[in-house]
Amino acid sequence: MAEQNSERLRDPERTREAILAAAEDSFARVGFEGTSLQQIGEAAGVARSTPAYFFGSKAALYDAVLARVIARARETMARAYATGEQAPSVEDAVESYVGAAIEFLGHDRNFVRLIQREALGEGSRVAEFFGRTVEEGIVALAPAAEKAGITPERLVLDLTALCWYPFAHEHTLLPALGMKARDPAFLAEQKRHIGDLVRAMTRPGR
């Protein structure tokens, strides 16, 4: 272990990434309280003191993990917004955003689990981390919201809820309904369903 740890310390970026990956998996699986720096060090293949050396404390490492997973979400949605700008209609643009969100949530379990855990607390820094992503979403969805006669904030909330709910309840309500949130067929159906709802909302004379 000492030899392995010495090798990793010679490559600090690789070591930091290994610690973040191990911490993300542990925090997502058993939560902040159920995770120790020692466990993270062992999972990352470094000495128990190395996570503290790089991040200072478990709380600081946890914040770094949250920032990391939210950055993944933001990058995914930023690409969708850029694609949506070229869409032939506001409805097609929304479908681009919805498709990106569902694909991301359907393949990033750690993101869903970490945000779910944060949602159970009395307060969270997640809102701070999400700030830029939400602002971008409001701007991108404003044309569709105007056409639907609602605020872009409301449209962001509604679409987020529709995209998020199946993955938040993949082990509770969905099995009772005979659905599997991460089944490719379900993902495709959910995209179509939300797209149909948006088109109904923006239909003239609705």
Side-chain angles (χ1 to χ4, degrees):
M1 174 63 75
E3 180 180 346
Q4 183 180 18
N5 189 51
S6 176
E7 179 182 349
R8 286 185 178 272
L9 287 176
R10 287 196 295 270
D11 188 350
E13 189 57 37
R14 179 183 175 191
T15 301
R16 188 176 188 279
E17 179 60 26
I19 293 169
L20 280 169
E24 179 185 313
D25 287 342
S26 186
F27 287 138
R29 189 176 65 257
V30 298
F32 181 83
E33 297 298 334
T35 298
S36 70
L37 289 179
Q38 179 178 346
Q39 292 169 337
I40 292 170
E42 290 174 354
V46 299
R48 67 176 66 183
S49 61
T50 305
Y53 172 82
F54 275 88
F55 293 93
S57 68
K58 186 170 77 167
L61 176 53
Y62 182 70
D63 280 349
V65 165
L66 287 181
R68 182 177 189 253
V69 298
I70 290 173
R72 289 203 299 264
R74 190 184 67 77
E75 290 165 6
T76 296
M77 296 313 297
R79 289 194 296 270
Y81 297 148
T83 301
E85 290 177 356
Q86 311 302 318
S89 70
V90 295
E91 292 84 4
D92 290 324
V94 172
E95 287 190 15
S96 173
Y97 313 146
V98 166
I102 289 176
E103 282 297 320
F104 176 77
L105 295 173
H107 295 91
D108 199 320
R109 292 176 184 270
N110 282 351
F111 177 84
V112 174
R113 289 173 175 172
L114 285 164
I115 303 305
Q116 285 287 97
R117 290 184 180 278
E118 284 296 296
L120 296 174
E122 293 296 326
S124 172
R125 287 189 60 199
V126 166
E128 174 188 336
F129 289 136
F130 265 124
R132 181 177 173 185
T133 302
V134 170
E135 291 172 2
E136 292 172 344
I138 289 172
V139 171
L141 295 174
E146 181 179 2
K147 193 172 180 181
I150 60 176
T151 66
E153 290 82 1
R154 167 56 63 181
L155 186 55
V156 168
L157 177 60
D158 290 346
L159 292 178
T160 300
L162 289 168
C163 292
W164 182 269
Y165 193 88
F167 306 105
H169 290 276
E170 65 174 312
H171 301 303
T172 54
L173 178 61
L174 264 69
L177 295 172
M179 298 176 176
K180 296 181 179 179
R182 299 178 192 278
D183 186 306
F186 175 84
L187 296 179
E189 180 186 17
Q190 189 70 356
K191 293 176 193 176
R192 288 194 301 271
H193 177 61
I194 298 176
D196 289 343
L197 290 176
V198 170
R199 293 182 185 279
M201 290 171 60
T202 58
R203 186 172 59 239
R206 62 183 177 83

